[in-house]
Amino acid sequence: MTGWLIFIAVLLVLIVLFQVTRTLDLVSQLRGDDDSQLEQTSRMQAIALFIFMALGVIGFFWSFRHFAPTNVDVASEHGELIENMFIATLVVTSIVFVLCNVLLFTFVLMYRYKKGREAVHFAHSNKLEFFWTVVPTIVLTGLVVFGLQAWTRIMGPPEEDAVIFEMTGQQFFWTSRYPGADGKLGPRDYSLICAENPLGIVTREYVEHRINTLKGNAELGVEGEIAALENRKSELPGLIAALEDKIAKRPNRYMKDQLQEELDALEDEMDEIDDHILRRNQTLDRITKKYTEDYYMANAEALTWGYDDFLPSELHLPVNHEAIAKITAMDVLHNFYVPHMKVKMDAVPGMPTSFKFTPTITTEEMKQILSQNPAWQRVREGDTDPVWMSFKYEVACAELCGLGHSAMKYTMVVESEDEYNTWAESQIPYWNGIASSLKISGFSKAAPVLKTAEPEAPAATDTTATVIAAQ
Amino acid sequence: MSQETTIKEHLETHVTDHDHDHDHGHHDHHQSFISKYIFSTDHKTIAKQFLVTGIIWAIVGGGLSVLFRIQLGYPDADLSWMKPLLGKWITPEGHIAPEFYNALITMHGTILVFFVLTAGLSGTFSNYLIPLMIGARDMASGFINMLSYWFFFLSSVVMAVSFFLATGPASGGWTAYPPLNALPAAASGSVAGVDYWLVSIVLFIVSVLLGGLNYITTVINLRTRGMKMFRLPLPIWAFFLTAVIGLLSFPVLLSAGVLLLFDRNLGTSFYLDQIYIGGEALANAGGSPILYQHLFWFLGHPEVYIIILPAMGIASEVLSVHSRKPIFGYTAMIYSLLAIAVLSFIVWAHHMFMTGMNPFIGSIFVIFTLIIAVPSAVKVFNWLTTLWRGNIKLTPPMMFAIGFVSLFISGGVTGIFLGNSSIDVELHDTYFVVAHFHLVMGVAAFFGMFAGIYHWFPKMFGRHMNNTLSYIHFWGTIVCAYLIFFPMHWEYMLPRRYPTHAGFDTFGMFAQLNEFITIAAMASFAFQLIFVFNFFYSIWYGRKLKEQNPYHATTLEWTTPIRPGHGNWPGDIPEVHRWAYDYSKHGRDFIPQTEPLSQYEIEHGEHGDEMDSDVIAHENDDHQS
Ligand code: HEM
Ligand SMILES: [Cu+2]
Ligand SMILES: [Cu+2]
């Protein structure tokens, strides 16, 4: 009700305002003498435009000081490079921006319409045009040269001893992986992905496991996904018929709607189930075709790299040591974005990318820096400490990837070389945690070795070595 | 009546013969409502159809942005009051559901880029002005022209229908990158919405190509006697080159879209490789999502010039007419348009620096991208010099043209940041990019369009718009546009396409700014409603136009009757003797294009570049023909 009243009130005000503007227009028509009218209007508008420009230029500098995140410290080496380029370009473009706008609005003010003033017929001047073609060309060449130098450095090859880690984007989370003691990330195959092998790392056991979970294995008591789907497919018509029956009998409207929804869901499932079965079969097909004995012979070494890889729940990197992110995606495009480090690179399904960078400020140092920053004094709901106290470098996704795009947060800790090493050594290879639950028959051989591996054992990498040796 | 008959006969002989159907008998003078206003082949009516459809889409597209800006500016607020409009897309907590937020930004971008700033801008002004300014009775083919509008209309209908799909409209961004837009499992908008989106875009491309062919043919073939290419008014050059760019680039988007449709519906793998989604591995192998981006941006970058060139052309004309000066550097303006048109085809990958593309190839695109800034800069300096020592009438169209130049400067300089790949590492896919392209393309093109509407409204409808409302509209729009998009540059850390940044401490510092921008966005939308009202009100109730040439302009459209009929000129088409920019020359306020060259001009060159018009004025007394 009040909503309507407000609406009507606003409408009335608008009508009144409109009548006023109409009257203004009519009056100016009646007064005649269009030229002096126009002279007056032009004067008013020109002055207003000039003031607008002046306020705008002031606003530009003011808003820069107030809102630009210039107090965010750059936490990587190449980030400094980018920052400098940014500032240099900002200076150059600010000059152009201010100068051109000032000229524009000054000309408008100076040469606003006056009765009897004659404009100058000035149609072109080769000299002027040459001048302002050449000047921007020179300035831009300068920027390009510096820009490309920086670009080559940023995109150049990484150093030999760079810390390698891998980030995999998936709707809607990141999975990180480190290569473990051997310094090599195990190869991956998306066909092998399953609950026990979330990244699809390739080892002989994982291949066997995946074949068994797809095809089923009576000996091991595994039903197999394909068989499960087939079963479901055969029971669906019965379920659907039963539901249809119920709906036909049920007079209650509410219940009917609910049943109808269930029915729709079942019918959708029925429509799609063949696709799912087909895809499982195709996956199985790809696996059995690819992983032949020849393949194992040819890739024997690479197939051992995956055992000691570990999948931590956050990134750790040593300070002042180059790191290289190997970036991949499983489903759609994502982008590995670390705002403080000015790191940004797309994650593309089917095409691994990478980005190298050297963190320069540890997490602890950054905390101290941020403790001085007003924006970090906020207190999160349900928390008592200001946010800077729990600071960790944040990783975000910078390529639209669906409804959870804004929730793809990951964290990164930068620490001293020693701290990093201690951390890395304490990490347990993913394989160790999962091996016993794999559905493979040859597993009994490897099992005893693995079972001796204590979860806390710092010598996790040794254990892996034993596993490999046992092969 | 007898006069009308002669006009009609005249028409029949002059209008190219193939565009008159047989049922349009010679003796049928009374067109039905349908053939006059709906299935019209008159370029002026078709232009108005494009304009009105464009305005409607602009309200829709702008409205969507207000909705998502509210979510972004007030991420914690209870928006349940939107329920009557958005229904199930409001979550129980009263937020816009993230997938629908994505649908809103996708539709906003698509509608404004394609429907408003391509169809609404080129469609309106190319159609309206090309025949009138070059001295032609109509487009080369009125029928194809009509088809062009109706394909646009169909495309609009398909896009509009997609809003009501149970799974929502396309939600993968206006660039529709696969795999997000290829896999139904990836987003609810990708279930059916993307198919509608693609079909709509395909229809739209047909419309653009039909229109473009017509514009090009008309400009090349139907210029009146004496209208050499280098006597054309600048808007015509702009429309002409826009059509050429469109003709060369839109087919590439068409193929990109069709391949995406195949990937979606026929199981092909043009853009898909090794995908694991929804708990299963897909069989697609060998494709590349990056291929799509190359194809898309091969259109996408030229597209931004398809949008801005017409606005540049219109602004050039309006600046010249209302400052009573020739446009400065007419030939330089044409060559810079040409340079932009050519270069716009070799800079597309600057949108892809961060895709993992080979960095060396990236460097090449850096160089071309920064080269394209040169002709853009030349245009700006020429506009500034056009104003210098003019006699500037600050009418509403002139205000918008000046606003256009200012916005183009402000938005253009940030391209220099983005074109430098190393800075783009930081800026890519952040609000800095959003600020850049809204200023330089979005708002600037709108200003060009408004300048055009205010300038040619009297020609189009035989009435004036309300001046006071026009000034209010100008001020509201320029102030809000700057308030929205200028501070947005400082959000250069903030990633785009997030319904809320609350999950990240790093982005907490921008909450206040986001709220401020949202308020400005709502205000700016309100000011556009003033324009809409003024526009429609004035069509029927505006003050009547009494003069044939109210701005004392030189160009041919002002030699037609106040309300020109089908065929534009009742008598012969006027002949042209000079370029379009003889303002304040030889002591005269303006010399129409139809006036023969004076002896002096024949001797000294028709583009007479004299600085000192007084001297000329004296000499002129002797030479006046
Ligand atoms: C001075 C000349 C210009 C340069 C150097 C330039 C450069 C760039 C670059 C490098 C990007 C990609 C940024 C990124 O995504 O990381 C970009 C984005 C964009 N530019 Fe420009 N630009 C210029 C002028 C223009 C003009 C005149 C227009 C339109 C009329 C325009 C419209 C756009 C649009 C629409 C986007 C964003 C597309 C998207 O991601 O959705 N730019 N510009
Ligand atoms: Cu994402
Ligand atoms: Cu571009």
Side-chain angles (χ1 to χ4, degrees), chain B residues 176-242:
Chain B
Y177 283 177
L180 181 60
N181 288 278
L183 307 171
S188 65
S190 302
V191 176
V194 175
D195 286 325
Y196 280 72
W197 190 92
L198 286 168
V199 169
S200 170
I201 291 298
V202 167
L203 291 169
F204 182 78
I205 293 171
V206 174
S207 156
V208 171
L209 296 182
L210 291 175
L213 272 174
N214 231 337
Y215 307 150
I216 293 171
T217 322
T218 309
V219 172
I220 291 181
N221 290 323
L222 296 187
R223 279 167 290 133
T224 182
R225 205 164 338 128
M227 184 63 94
K228 300 178 192 154
M229 283 307 270
F230 279 82
R231 280 178 177 167
L232 284 174
L234 284 176
I236 304 302
W237 266 103
F239 301 147
F240 174 67
L241 290 173
T242 302

Side-chain angles (χ1 to χ4, degrees), chain A residues 172 174 332-335 396-402 404-408, chain B residues 498:
Chain A
F172 296 99
W174 295 100
V332 301
L333 298 172
H334 300 273
N335 182 305
C397 176
E399 182 65 59
L400 180 61
C401 58
H405 175 48
S406 63
M408 284 186 64
Chain B
Y498 275 37

Side-chain angles (χ1 to χ4, degrees), chain A residues 18 21-22 24-25 29 38 41-42 45-46 48-49 52 60 63-64 67-69 72 82 85-86 89-90 93 96-97 100-101 104-105 107-108 111-114 117-125 128-129 132-133 136-137 140 143-144 147-148 150-151 154-155 171 190 193 276 279-280 282-283 286 330-333 337 339-340 342 344-346 348-351 353 355 375-376 378 380 387 394-403 405-406 408-409, chain B residues 98-99 102 172-173 177-180 186 273-277 280-284 289 293 323-329 332 354-356 359 363 370 373-374 378 381-382 384-385 387-394 399 402 406 409-410 413 416-417 420-423 425-430 466-469 471 474-475 482 486 490 492-493 496-500 503-510 513 533 537 543 581-585 587 608-611 613:
Chain A
F18 170 63
T21 64
R22 242 185 68 174
L24 282 178
D25 259 30
Q29 287 313 308
L38 187 61
T41 319
S42 294
Q45 297 292 341
L49 281 172
F52 170 70
F60 165 48
S63 72
F64 175 72
F67 292 116
V72 177
I82 294 176
M85 289 277 317
F86 184 93
T89 312
L90 185 62
T93 52
V96 178
F97 161 71
C100 289
N101 270 306
L104 173 66
F105 290 99
F107 287 168
V108 169
Y111 305 112
R112 63 177 187 271
Y113 179 73
K114 283 210 183 100
R117 186 211 304 268
E118 218 177 294
V120 173
H121 187 87
F122 181 37
H124 84 96
S125 149
L128 271 180
E129 288 169 70
W132 61 51
T133 311
T137 309
L140 287 170
L143 290 174
V144 167
L148 289 185
W151 179 243
I154 297 169
M155 290 290 144
Q171 287 182 330
Y190 83 115
I193 297 172
H276 294 304
R279 284 184 193 138
R280 297 294 195 291
Q282 287 167 330
T283 306
R286 279 196 306 275
M330 277 194 188
D331 38 32
V332 301
L333 298 172
Y337 175 36
H340 281 96
K342 304 198 198 296
K344 194 179 280 153
M345 182 53 73
D346 275 359
V348 185
M351 189 187 94
T353 57
F355 199 102
W376 286 78
R378 279 174 301 120
R380 240 181 267 111
V387 284
E394 288 176 324
V395 173
C397 176
E399 182 65 59
L400 180 61
C401 58
L403 70 94
H405 175 48
S406 63
M408 284 186 64
K409 182 166 123 169
Chain B
E99 62 264 48
N102 291 344
Y177 283 177
L180 181 60
D273 188 23
Q274 302 176 39
I275 286 168
Y276 182 87
I277 192 167
E280 59 192 8
L282 306 188
N284 307 74
Q293 296 185 26
S323 59
R324 315 310 297 162
K325 272 193 65 186
I327 189 78
F328 183 78
M354 294 299 116
T355 54
S363 324
L370 294 198
V374 175
V378 168
F381 299 137
N382 284 356
L384 292 180
T385 317
L387 293 176
W388 182 71
R389 295 190 67 184
N391 195 15
I392 302 168
K393 298 180 174 174
L394 289 170
M399 300 291 277
I402 292 165
S406 171
I409 296 166
S410 312
V413 289
I416 312 288
F417 293 77
N420 223 332
S421 50
S422 22
I423 310 180
V425 175
E426 173 167 28
L427 303 180
H428 175 63
D429 255 321
T430 65
N466 178 312
N467 250 338
T468 315
L469 286 182
Y471 283 117
F474 168 79
W475 282 105
Y482 268 115
F486 207 87
W490 309 131
Y492 58 74
M493 285 174 89
R496 283 168 83 175
R497 297 166 166 172
Y498 275 37
T500 165
F504 294 80
D505 292 335
T506 311
F507 305 137
M509 66 181 120
F510 299 110
L513 194 51
F533 172 78
Y537 181 87
R543 187 162 48 82
Y581 297 102
D582 276 338
Y583 289 102
S584 303
K585 191 184 188 186
D609 317 317
E610 329 75 25
M611 278 279 285
S613 47

